[in-house]
Amino acid sequence: DQLISSVDCTPPECIMPGYKECVLTPMHPMLKEPKANFCLKVLTMSIWNPPPGNRKLHGDLLYLYAVTAEQKRFHITASSRGFYVNQSDMETFNPKPAQGAHVYHCLIDLLGHISPVFKRNFQALNKKRFGRHPYERIATPFQVHSWTAPAIEHKVDVVRAEDSYSSRLLFEEHIPGQALHYIFHTHAYDKVQKDDPLYNLRLESNPKRVMFSQKIINVHSDFVAAATRGAMMVIDGNVMAINPGDAKNMRMYIWNNIFFSLGFDVRDHYKNFGGNHAAFYAPCCDLNGVKAYSTLDTEGLYTLGTVVVDYRGRITAQSIIPGILEREQEHSVVYGSIDFGKTAQSNEKYIELLEKTTKQLHVQPHSILSGDKGPVKLCSSLECKGIIGNDQRHYILDLLRTFPPDLNYLPLEGEELSEECKRMGFPRQHRHRLSSLRPELVEVFIDHLYVVFMRHCASQIVNIRNKVGMEQKSIAEGESEGNGKKSKIFWILGWDVFVLGQGLSQNSCVLLWIEMNFPYSIQVKLQVQRRISPTLKIVMAKWQQEAVKSAATLVGSYSDTEFDVRFNPDIFSPDVKHDATPEELEKQKELLKQAARFIITNQIPTFVSLFLCKPYYQVTPIHFNPPSHLPQIKDCLEHTAMPTDGASLSDCLHERGINARYLGKIVKLIGTTPALQHVYRIGLMEIILRAAKHIMRGYLQNVDQCSVSSAVSHFLNCLLGSFPTPLPHLPEEELISNKRKKKARKQRAQSTSGGQRAAWHILTPEAVWEQIEAEASDYYDFKIGVKSVDELVEKHSVHKVALLRRLCITMGIQLLVKDYTFDSRHKPPFTEEDITNMYPVIKHAPPRASDAYQFYTSAQTKVQQGYLKEGYELFSEALNLFNNVYGAVHGEIAACYRHIARLNYMMGEHADAITNQQKAVILSERVLGIDNVTTIMDYISLALYCFANRKISAALKLLYRARYLFLCVHGNDHPEISLVNSNIGLVLHGVQEYDLSLRFLEEALKINIKYHGEKSLKAALSHHLVARAYSCKGEFRSALNHEKETYKLYKNQLGEVHEKTKESGECLKHLTEQAVTLQRTMNEIYKNGSTASIPPLQVKRQFSLEIFYKNPSNPPFLPQITAPSMHSVLDLMNVINGIIFIPLR
């Protein structure tokens, strides 16, 4: 009781059920800390730098200037002996030591001696810094930006100013020494040369392989950071182009030994493939190819470091091949084509290297006709170019056609797709011709073909077996009785039934048959074993060859003797003449048509059905022996896809090999299913977002640097604001008076012609939504059917904050944290001051710690099999390897901590579970973002562990935070938010806050009924939770109504003999008794006046799962109590969070 009374249960108003607006102020909670005292006012380089020649001979290295908090000014000499205060001032240079000055080996000691305030405040600052968790202080491998930022006062900081402009690396293009670092990166990014000391590490013992992976990942991280910084400087105009005389969109840049190109079609390179649209899409395809070849780790084959940066446009950053700038392209390329197949050339060394990759990448070696050269053999797409650098390494680049084309978005004259594709409206004309299949789809499609291959082989062998068996049987029946034994012996020659059907060896099969027919004849056994077994091997081998050949022909295998499916990436390339027979070309084309059909008939329907097969519980079993109240849980365990925003929806699509361009088709399919309205809403928002992104990107590429914030805020006002006539704030208005500014705006509003004004100046909400509707129809073949954001909200219940969040994350927009008034019709919600920053969105192919990942997957397998201790040990080993390779902060390290914490909790180690889950939460916040869906789920898990450890206040705060973030990500209308509501309701129920508990539990019941159905088991559990809360309040009539629904659902779906049904029946009986007792007492009061007294109400007996499993034949109940026990609340929280403890019997 003392613990419960000390808990602050009051939830913030913004997360209460029924609250309409979603505010952004709580996104970055500011801690109420005392104002930090500064240590120094100024610490900067002295104006007397650099030391003159004579002072260098005395050991002077540089001079510092410091102003202490006591307003004292000092000039400090940094010499080879240490630091000391000299006699210089702002007008006189006197490098001699000041009177009484001492030499200090540490600058901190010197500053602490001359300033007591510095000494005191610096100690307090260090204490505060080291009081934070180490994971909050360690740098992340890749920069993570937030789409919201609090208002931070810009104070005077001389050190910050010097750091920004003192580094020569920021603006100079060629720095000796620094360039050498990235030359190493260029050639050690994915592969390492044999002479390099790192090369031998990757083939030797595990510690050395870990060291090799660590070096490669560190170099990759440095390259991504340098490429990102260089790309931003290119767009901001701080890097000189190597071709400054060309148009702006055709310029190329080199900075820090990295080559930068813009996402435009330079010199009509992609003229026949979609122009600028193809040029914009090509870097992502190239990045996928780089990732594929890098994963194979083929010795002698090298790829380039590649980073794609979206920052007010698209910039591609690549490392430079040694010597590539010293010669023309046509003289550098020794493999591939530079004119899309009109001419091509090959190289024996490249053929040898690339042939090693064709089977893993499923690329079919093929030959094309190249002018007068005749047939040219290729083991990759023809766009793939091979260049031998000055270091004699073999590089490949332009890997955009590594994966086969997607024929559903590639209309071809004379080629017909399947009827299923035609019914879905394919093929569709896309805006570029570079649409390709995702690597995930290629793998899934080949797995599907392998199943077809094996089934056909088995069918063919069975058919041949039956045919030969019938022939031999007829021969055996025609023999005379005197030769019966001999006939039976030779009849075995065609009898392979046991060999294939029972999985026995050939000899054991023959001996088994002889044992049945000649049990006492050892001579017959030996004779048959000598004469028949070799014949059986020959006959069976022949049958298998025939079956494999037939199956290989059926699935289009590259080889007739094995399953080996490969695609010709150039089969539909224009201007390419293939050196192959028409039958071979038709076979290659048919394979791609089958892949296009596979997306329509298999992947998309499977993806949609995932949401309809959501399991009742997501079980983490101790011993996988599901109880009977989890029907068909084995079949549904894999169907756990539940997207909460556009990013998670895109991830779900990509995991199944479906490109985002199919989003319109998928949204149409799920739009008619009431239980999938949340997925429909997310898909609709994603289509609108992507269409708005395409439009906004075009505007930003033509906006001047001084107008970026005004252009962004005006676009957001037109997209999300209810104000009908927003006007942009022009930069030139800052230099005129307010009176003239208002007059200029009025004239601009009354003007009917745009004149020569920029496109974003004349943008209106009507124009934006018309363009979005046209873009959605053209790109996704989907009609959104709305003309404004208010109509979208009213018709589809879309939250404006969720749409704003997704757009900002995708476009790299950072907003000021404040509560925006989206629905105001008197003023626009955004101003140019609300746009605090534009940050880059990065795409790259990070290397993976392969050894650690193997431990990680093995640990997952062990846990699924029920071996918790073995899984715990493997997760710990994986965590150790991940730390050695990635460092302390990484997403996969967070995943390890997440699993370890769950295992700690399941094994009863609640304190360790809290410690490890807290690490997972901090890492998720830093690596994924504070409002990422994974971070939200980590909050919920941490809240569960805190509640189990009786930290109720912390659990409530974590659950309140999770609910707030869910509201920002999607809104209140989503199945996953019922999980948060149920958790909050149970915790509040446990601390006897029944009114608050009921509000959250009833909201969870409402959502579960809407998305899982009135007859679902989730609805039954929610009814039971609501009944518990009502019974604790003494409202037995309402409790009876809900418990009756629970009993009816359990009885209809699980049967009368099931434990859940019996438990609900006992609860129903007890509630009925309490209601009758209460009613009798009330009748006595009405009859006799105030002389009767109301006895204390008793709450339903609490059922203990733990005691039940110890004695299932006689299920005991806990004593009747007046308040719910923490143990019973924790049992229910475990159930709704997917943890069911099933003891071994």
Side-chain angles (χ1 to χ4, degrees):
D1 294 338
Q2 184 179 2
L3 175 65
I4 292 175
S5 62
S6 63
V7 176
D8 181 14
C9 303
T10 307
E13 184 182 0
C14 62
I15 72 160
M16 291 298 295
Y19 192 81
K20 298 298 183 183
E21 299 180 2
C22 183
V23 296
L24 291 181
T25 307
M27 182 68 72
H28 292 272
M30 303 300 292
L31 298 178
K32 296 180 180 179
E33 297 180 351
K35 188 175 181 180
N37 296 323
F38 57 87
C39 301
L40 286 173
K41 283 193 172 182
V42 175
L43 179 64
T44 182
M45 302 290 289
S46 173
I47 59 176
W48 300 112
N49 281 303
N54 63 323
R55 294 308 304 173
K56 287 182 181 180
L57 299 178
H58 286 78
D60 292 359
L61 303 176
L62 56 88
Y63 304 118
L64 301 175
Y65 174 67
V67 179
T68 64
E70 297 89 349
Q71 297 294 335
K72 295 181 180 180
R73 291 167 171 77
F74 297 94
H75 288 261
I76 301 172
T77 299
S79 69
S80 56
R81 294 179 298 162
F83 298 91
Y84 60 87
V85 177
N86 60 41
Q87 300 181 22
S88 300
D89 55 28
M90 299 301 293
E91 296 180 356
T92 307
F93 176 66
N94 187 353
K96 295 182 179 180
Q99 185 176 3
H102 299 279
V103 178
Y104 293 87
H105 294 288
C106 180
L107 180 62
I108 301 299
D109 296 336
L110 173 59
L111 295 174
H113 176 74
I114 63 177
S115 173
V117 175
F118 173 85
K119 185 176 183 179
R120 181 177 64 253
N121 291 347
F122 188 74
Q123 290 177 351
L125 184 66
N126 273 339
K127 184 177 180 180
K128 177 183 176 181
R129 172 178 170 80
F130 291 110
R132 300 170 64 185
H133 196 283
Y135 286 159
E136 298 182 56
R137 296 184 277 118
I138 300 174
T140 57
F142 307 107
Q143 182 68 40
V144 179
H145 300 273
S146 175
W147 67 279
T148 55
I152 300 176
E153 183 181 357
H154 195 65
K155 300 180 180 179
V156 175
D157 192 338
V158 181
V159 177
R160 181 189 63 228
E162 283 194 352
D163 286 344
S164 299
Y165 295 100
S166 61
S167 175
R168 298 174 60 203
L169 183 61
L170 283 176
F171 297 102
E172 295 193 15
E173 298 180 30
H174 301 288
I175 313 283
Q178 184 68 24
L180 291 177
H181 170 76
Y182 286 112
I183 288 177
F184 166 77
H185 180 281
T186 302
H187 312 308
Y189 168 67
D190 288 312
K191 312 287 176 279
V192 184
Q193 198 177 23
K194 288 185 178 180
D195 332 1
D196 293 334
L198 287 178
Y199 179 80
N200 295 325
L201 297 182
R202 61 177 184 170
L203 301 177
E204 294 182 6
S205 61
N206 183 56
K208 292 187 177 181
R209 287 201 308 273
V210 169
M211 189 183 301
F212 170 79
S213 300
Q214 181 184 17
K215 296 294 184 182
I216 293 300
I217 289 172
N218 289 342
V219 170
H220 174 82
S221 177
D222 292 344
F223 179 76
V224 172
T228 303
R229 185 172 55 183
M232 295 176 65
M233 293 175 58
V234 165
I235 296 300
D236 293 338
N238 296 327
V239 177
M240 179 68 70
I242 60 176
N243 53 340
D246 293 343
K248 184 177 179 180
N249 59 352
M250 298 179 64
R251 293 175 185 170
M252 295 171 286
Y253 304 84
I254 293 179
W255 178 83
N256 201 20
N257 207 48
I258 303 175
F259 177 78
F260 297 92
S261 59
L262 306 179
F264 297 98
D265 185 15
V266 180
R267 299 174 183 175
D268 295 333
H269 188 67
Y270 296 98
K271 181 179 180 181
N272 298 328
F273 294 87
N276 286 333
H277 294 296
F280 187 89
Y281 183 73
C284 290
C285 296
D286 186 30
L287 185 63
N288 290 334
V290 169
K291 185 176 181 180
Y293 279 98
S294 301
T295 305
L296 297 181
D297 197 21
T298 305
E299 182 181 345
L301 193 62
Y302 298 84
T303 57
L304 302 182
T306 305
V307 177
V308 179
V309 182
D310 288 332
Y311 176 72
R312 293 164 51 196
R314 174 155 291 180
I315 310 101
T316 305
Q318 289 182 308
S319 50
I320 301 175
I321 299 176
I324 187 67
L325 300 177
E326 303 171 4
R327 51 197 176 188
E328 296 294 333
Q329 185 180 24
E330 53 269 16
H331 298 126
S332 302
V333 177
V334 299
Y335 172 86
S337 174
I338 60 175
D339 52 11
F340 292 99
K342 295 179 181 178
T343 60
Q345 47 190 331
S346 186
N347 181 278
E348 292 183 1
K349 183 61 177 179
Y350 270 102
I351 295 295
E352 177 187 347
L353 293 173
L354 289 171
E355 273 185 338
K356 301 176 183 178
T357 67
T358 53
K359 189 167 185 177
Q360 293 94 329
L361 295 179
H362 311 291
V363 175
Q364 178 174 335
H366 54 284
S367 298
I368 64 173
L369 300 176
S370 174
D372 300 333
K373 297 181 180 179
V376 175
K377 184 178 180 180
L378 298 175
C379 292
S380 64
S381 65
L382 60 88
E383 285 87 356
C384 173
K385 300 173 182 59
I387 298 177
I388 302 176
N390 287 352
D391 55 357
Q392 300 305 310
R393 296 180 179 179
H394 293 75
Y395 296 92
I396 53 174
L397 61 155
D398 290 349
L399 306 175
L400 62 155
R401 287 295 190 99
T402 300
F403 298 100
D406 184 359
L407 298 188
N408 287 330
Y409 287 89
L410 189 64
L412 297 166
E413 186 176 354
E415 301 293 340
E416 294 287 337
L417 297 182
S418 64
E419 291 298 326
E420 294 85 353
C421 295
K422 291 180 180 178
R423 283 196 295 267
M424 290 284 287
F426 294 112
R428 290 195 72 246
Q429 184 68 47
H430 205 46
R431 55 185 53 180
H432 59 77
R433 299 178 62 87
L434 297 181
S435 302
S436 59
L437 303 177
R438 292 191 62 84
E440 298 90 348
L441 180 83
V442 173
E443 296 298 331
V444 173
F445 178 59
I446 289 178
D447 291 342
H448 167 73
L449 290 183
Y450 182 72
V451 173
V452 174
F453 176 85
M454 294 302 297
R455 287 178 177 175
H456 187 78
C457 282
S459 175
Q460 288 295 107
I461 292 176
V462 169
N463 291 338
I464 297 175
R465 179 201 66 190
N466 293 338
K467 181 179 178 181
V468 175
M470 292 299 296
E471 293 177 355
Q472 296 296 336
K473 186 175 181 181
S474 61
I475 295 175
E477 290 176 351
E479 294 289 339
S480 61
E481 295 184 0
N483 297 329
K485 292 183 178 180
K486 183 178 180 181
S487 299
K488 288 182 180 179
I489 294 174
F490 286 100
W491 182 70
I492 304 174
L493 287 172
W495 203 39
D496 66 317
V497 178
F498 290 90
V499 179
L500 299 177
Q502 304 296 333
L504 303 174
S505 66
Q506 295 166 355
N507 290 338
S508 62
C509 170
V510 173
L511 294 178
L512 175 64
W513 191 90
I514 295 174
E515 197 67 46
M516 294 170 58
N517 293 273
F518 306 96
Y520 306 107
S521 179
I522 300 177
Q523 183 178 2
V524 172
K525 292 180 183 179
L526 295 176
Q527 181 181 3
V528 171
Q529 202 170 14
R530 261 194 326 267
R531 298 177 57 186
I532 299 180
S533 185
T535 309
L536 269 177
K537 292 181 180 179
I538 296 173
V539 172
M540 289 191 61
K542 182 178 180 181
W543 292 351
Q544 291 175 358
Q545 289 176 1
E546 293 177 358
V548 168
K549 184 175 182 181
S550 175
T553 303
L554 176 67
V555 300
S557 177
Y558 177 68
S559 173
D560 292 339
T561 59
E562 63 177 346
F563 178 81
D564 185 10
V565 174
R566 306 189 189 187
F567 301 93
N568 184 349
D570 301 326
I571 189 62
F572 289 111
S573 298
D575 302 326
V576 175
K577 298 180 180 179
H578 295 272
D579 184 28
T581 62
E583 292 78 12
E584 293 177 349
L585 295 178
E586 188 61 32
K587 174 183 174 182
Q588 297 168 11
K589 293 179 180 179
E590 184 61 29
L591 190 60
L592 288 178
K593 292 178 183 179
Q594 290 298 323
R597 177 180 177 273
F598 181 74
I599 301 176
I600 304 302
T601 60
N602 190 288
Q603 292 305 95
I604 291 180
T606 302
F607 174 78
V608 174
S609 66
L610 289 176
F611 307 109
L612 298 174
C613 301
K614 180 74 175 178
Y616 178 52
Y617 297 127
Q618 297 177 11
V619 180
T620 306
I622 291 181
H623 176 68
F624 191 79
N625 186 15
S628 56
H629 70 279
L630 305 180
Q632 298 179 354
I633 194 169
K634 287 185 178 180
D635 297 332
C636 296
L637 274 176
E638 296 179 357
H639 306 295
T640 57
M642 186 62 70
T644 53
D645 62 351
S648 56
L649 177 62
S650 299
D651 291 341
C652 291
L653 289 171
H654 293 165
E655 287 173 3
R656 290 154 185 85
I658 306 173
N659 297 84
R661 54 179 171 266
Y662 287 94
L663 195 56
K665 301 293 184 182
I666 295 174
V667 173
K668 287 180 182 178
L669 290 176
I670 63 180
T672 57
T673 307
L676 297 181
Q677 287 306 303
H678 63 290
V679 184
Y680 177 83
R681 188 184 306 111
I682 294 172
L684 176 64
M685 290 173 57
E686 189 68 8
I687 290 175
I688 293 174
L689 159 86
R690 289 174 178 263
K693 179 181 69 173
H694 297 166
I695 298 167
M696 190 176 185
R697 186 189 298 130
Y699 285 116
L700 289 181
Q701 288 177 345
N702 299 318
V703 172
D704 295 333
Q705 180 72 23
C706 60
S707 304
V708 173
S709 61
S710 298
V712 172
S713 62
H714 182 60
F715 187 89
L716 294 179
N717 287 329
C718 294
L719 177 66
L720 299 172
S722 299
F723 185 58
T725 57
L727 295 177
H729 175 82
L730 301 182
E732 56 268 19
E733 292 180 353
E734 296 181 354
L735 303 178
I736 61 178
S737 63
N738 291 333
K739 185 175 181 180
R740 293 178 58 192
K741 187 186 302 183
K742 292 180 180 179
K743 184 177 179 181
R745 289 186 179 181
K746 185 176 180 180
Q747 293 176 353
R748 198 166 67 246
Q750 296 175 351
S751 177
T752 57
S753 60
Q756 296 182 354
R757 293 161 57 194
W760 67 273
H761 290 181
I762 58 177
L763 199 63
T764 62
E766 294 79 8
V768 167
W769 282 95
E770 285 178 4
Q771 294 180 48
I772 289 176
E773 188 171 13
E775 182 73 11
S777 177
D778 177 59
Y779 199 96
Y780 298 103
D781 191 24
F782 183 83
K783 297 187 180 299
I784 61 175
V786 294
K787 302 295 183 182
S788 66
V789 67
D790 294 329
E791 185 180 354
L792 177 69
V793 172
E794 180 181 358
K795 191 174 181 181
H796 299 286
S797 302
V798 171
H799 278 239
K800 292 184 180 180
V801 171
L803 192 60
L804 172 66
R805 168 187 174 272
R806 183 75 180 118
L807 179 64
C808 290
I809 291 175
T810 306
M811 291 298 300
I813 302 171
Q814 191 173 74
L815 295 178
L816 180 67
V817 171
K818 72 176 189 179
D819 299 334
Y820 295 96
T821 54
F822 295 99
D823 299 329
S824 174
R825 304 191 67 84
H826 303 289
K827 64 175 183 178
F830 301 97
T831 65
E832 63 275 8
E833 299 300 328
D834 296 329
I835 314 300
T836 60
N837 198 6
M838 293 284 292
Y839 60 85
V841 179
I842 312 300
K843 298 180 179 68
H844 59 103
R848 166 169 279 181
S850 56
D851 291 341
Y853 188 72
Q854 290 177 2
F855 278 102
Y856 180 79
T857 54
S858 300
Q860 288 179 312
T861 304
K862 287 293 184 182
V863 172
Q864 289 298 324
Q865 294 172 352
Y867 301 105
L868 299 189
K869 292 185 178 179
E870 292 83 352
Y872 181 87
E873 293 173 357
L874 289 172
F875 274 128
S876 301
E877 184 64 28
L879 176 62
N880 182 38
L881 291 176
F882 279 136
N883 273 303
N884 290 336
V885 174
Y886 293 129
V889 180
H890 197 273
E892 293 182 355
I893 295 176
C896 279
Y897 277 125
R898 190 178 303 121
H899 286 288
I900 291 174
R902 176 59 65 96
L903 293 177
N904 286 138
Y905 178 73
M906 293 172 65
M907 293 186 292
E909 302 167 355
H910 294 167
D912 292 338
I914 292 176
T915 301
N916 288 314
Q917 186 63 27
Q918 183 184 9
K919 295 177 181 178
V921 167
I922 297 174
L923 292 176
S924 295
E925 287 179 338
R926 300 207 59 205
V927 175
L928 302 176
I930 60 174
D931 58 348
N932 188 274
V933 177
T934 303
T935 306
I936 299 174
M937 300 308 296
D938 283 341
Y939 284 141
I940 298 173
S941 298
L942 182 57
L944 173 63
Y945 307 155
C946 287
F947 184 83
N949 209 29
R950 298 300 187 265
K951 297 183 178 181
I952 303 175
S953 182
L956 275 175
K957 290 180 180 179
L958 288 166
L959 289 173
Y960 291 160
R961 177 70 174 173
R963 176 171 168 80
Y964 168 74
L965 293 176
F966 255 128
L967 294 176
C968 293
V969 168
H970 181 272
N972 190 52
D973 193 12
H974 192 277
E976 285 295 324
I977 207 168
S978 65
L979 173 67
V980 187
N981 290 336
S982 299
N983 277 288
I984 294 176
L986 280 172
V987 176
L988 292 173
H989 181 73
V991 296
Q992 304 177 25
E993 293 286 342
Y994 303 125
D995 291 329
L996 284 174
S997 173
L998 270 174
R999 295 186 64 178
F1000 288 98
L1001 291 177
E1002 288 179 337
E1003 185 71 15
L1005 173 62
K1006 177 182 175 182
I1007 295 175
N1008 283 331
I1009 290 176
K1010 179 177 181 180
Y1011 289 107
H1012 298 281
E1014 296 181 352
K1015 300 181 180 180
S1016 66
L1017 294 178
K1018 277 184 174 291
L1021 181 59
S1022 291
H1023 276 297
H1024 175 66
L1025 297 180
V1026 174
R1028 283 166 52 98
Y1030 273 119
S1031 67
C1032 290
K1033 289 185 63 179
E1035 299 180 13
F1036 295 108
R1037 186 179 299 276
S1038 299
L1040 274 172
N1041 292 334
H1042 284 285
E1043 194 60 40
K1044 284 179 182 179
E1045 290 293 328
T1046 302
Y1047 180 77
K1048 183 174 66 174
L1049 291 174
Y1050 282 150
K1051 180 181 177 181
N1052 293 337
Q1053 298 198 31
L1054 305 177
E1056 294 185 0
V1057 298
H1058 196 274
E1059 294 88 353
K1060 286 291 181 181
T1061 309
K1062 293 179 180 179
E1063 179 187 348
S1064 181
E1066 290 290 335
C1067 179
L1068 195 59
K1069 179 181 177 182
H1070 182 75
L1071 289 175
T1072 304
E1073 293 174 356
Q1074 293 291 326
V1076 170
T1077 303
L1078 179 63
Q1079 188 62 39
R1080 285 177 180 173
T1081 305
M1082 296 300 297
N1083 292 339
E1084 289 291 331
I1085 292 176
Y1086 293 141
K1087 182 178 179 179
N1088 302 325
S1090 60
T1091 58
S1093 60
I1094 301 178
L1097 298 177
Q1098 293 181 338
V1099 184
K1100 167 191 173 293
R1101 292 173 289 179
Q1102 303 296 319
F1103 182 71
S1104 173
L1105 293 176
E1106 181 180 358
I1107 300 176
F1108 166 75
Y1109 283 125
K1110 291 181 179 179
N1111 190 11
S1113 60
N1114 183 23
F1117 293 87
L1118 294 177
Q1120 296 181 357
I1121 54 177
T1122 58
S1125 67
M1126 290 296 177
H1127 183 75
S1128 64
V1129 173
L1130 182 60
D1131 285 341
L1132 287 171
M1133 288 185 68
N1134 287 333
V1135 171
I1136 66 174
N1137 285 282
I1139 301 176
I1140 300 177
F1141 292 94
I1142 305 173
L1144 297 174
R1145 298 181 181 177

